[in-house]
Amino acid sequence: MIKLLYFALLRERVGVPEESLSLPPDVKDVGTLLAWLREQSPNHAAALCDPNMVRVAVNQDYAALTDPVRAGDEVALFPPVTGG
Amino acid sequence: MAAEAKPGNSKRSGPEIRVQAEDFDPGQELQRLTQDDTGIGAVVSFVGLVRDFADQKSDSSMTLEHYPGMTERQIMAIAEQAWQRWPLNGCLVVHRHGRLLPGDRIVLVIAASPHRKAAFEACEFLIDWLKTKAPFWKLEQSGAMREWVESRGSDDDAAARWNK
């Protein structure tokens, strides 16, 4: 299982703030995780359709598409940040 | 999460950061950061405020959502970088979250150093990187209007120039 967190506009589009999912064996990194998530529901697809609007953090550090994702990880998906 | 102690008369061993819903008092924070260290010759502070985006409409507000845990971690990482890069005696970042109104304070950055150049540079470095790395999202609301603020490329450019 991995824990997924969604924030801001992505949270509203997916419809839940977090969920725990079991990953299929072929999902090994951030890129394959995003592709798999888009197939989970029309809401997921709408939230994640534009790669430029999605940032990913694995265990609270920014992650690239090639970074690994493993069972037990906390993976957060959110739009580009606008603090300060 | 303090950095290693520095030589000299610096009383503080590393930066201090806080993420909170409550307001802060910039004068009080500045006084507290500088009062016990006479090695400080310059202190630069930055205060970010909620600008009225809806042209004086009385019901406009801004809500800051954040990612608890990662927010503190990212701000501390940026503050530690500033601490390594400039000779700082004190460094403080306070960032608020939750619902704020026009004129409210959002963020405070203070950098204290023996000399002004380091204090100015460190303060600007901190706010530039904070805007591009700290996981906060602004939601603007006014009447029927409800909009997530989009990130700006100019903020990325401002942060990137520190890599030169």
Side-chain angles (χ1 to χ4, degrees):
Chain A
M1 299 281 274
I2 62 161
K3 186 177 178 187
L4 287 159
L5 303 176
Y6 305 103
F7 291 97
L9 186 59
L10 260 65
R11 171 175 51 74
E12 292 179 352
R13 287 195 173 152
V14 172
V16 294
E18 59 177 86
E19 57 189 338
S20 289
L21 297 175
S22 297
L23 297 182
D26 56 329
V27 172
K28 291 188 162 59
D29 57 23
V30 171
T32 48
L33 172 67
L34 286 173
W36 179 74
L37 277 175
R38 281 189 204 103
E39 297 165 0
Q40 298 311 298
S41 80
N43 285 354
H44 287 81
L48 304 172
C49 62
D50 182 356
N52 292 321
M53 292 306 290
V54 181
R55 298 289 180 272
V56 181
V58 177
N59 300 324
Q60 306 192 350
D61 272 322
Y62 285 99
L65 292 177
T66 52
D67 285 337
V69 173
R70 300 181 187 90
D73 282 345
E74 175 177 293
V75 180
L77 307 176
F78 47 78
V81 303
T82 55
Chain B
M1 295 180 77
E4 282 175 36
K6 287 184 157 190
N9 57 357
S10 165
K11 301 271 198 304
R12 289 175 185 278
S13 56
E16 179 189 340
I17 70 130
R18 299 203 311 267
V19 178
Q20 62 188 45
E22 308 78 50
D23 193 16
F24 50 81
D25 181 334
Q28 211 170 51
E29 299 289 355
L30 193 145
Q31 171 69 16
R32 191 177 56 80
L33 199 74
T34 56
Q35 62 187 356
D36 295 323
D37 189 348
T38 51
I40 295 172
V43 53
V44 172
S45 65
F46 170 86
V47 179
L49 306 176
V50 179
R51 195 175 50 238
D52 195 352
F53 52 90
D55 219 15
Q56 307 285 326
K57 273 193 193 155
S58 56
D59 67 342
S60 53
S61 70
M62 170 179 284
T63 302
L64 274 154
E65 181 172 332
H66 78 301
Y67 179 178
M70 181 174 174
T71 309
E72 289 83 352
R73 192 180 158 96
Q74 292 296 318
I75 295 175
M76 184 50 95
I78 297 160
E80 297 276 11
Q81 280 181 42
W83 195 266
Q84 296 300 323
R85 186 161 170 175
W86 287 279
L88 299 180
N89 296 46
C91 171
L92 172 69
V93 178
V94 183
H95 205 303
R96 295 179 68 191
H97 60 84
R99 184 170 178 271
L100 303 173
L101 301 174
D104 282 353
R105 288 177 278 265
I106 306 174
V107 60
L108 170 69
V109 177
I110 304 181
S113 177
H115 302 289
R116 71 178 182 279
K117 192 167 193 294
F120 271 119
E121 286 182 0
C123 187
E124 204 172 2
F125 171 92
L126 283 159
I127 189 65
D128 281 350
W129 276 112
L130 201 144
K131 283 187 91 78
T132 60
K133 291 283 186 197
F136 286 99
W137 303 274
K138 289 181 178 138
L139 176 67
E140 292 178 343
Q141 289 174 283
S142 182
M145 184 274 258
R146 185 180 184 282
E147 253 175 41
W148 290 100
V149 174
E150 287 192 19
S151 73
R152 296 174 350 163
S154 59
D155 288 337
D156 291 335
D157 296 343
R161 76 201 155 99
W162 293 104
N163 290 332
K164 286 172 192 164

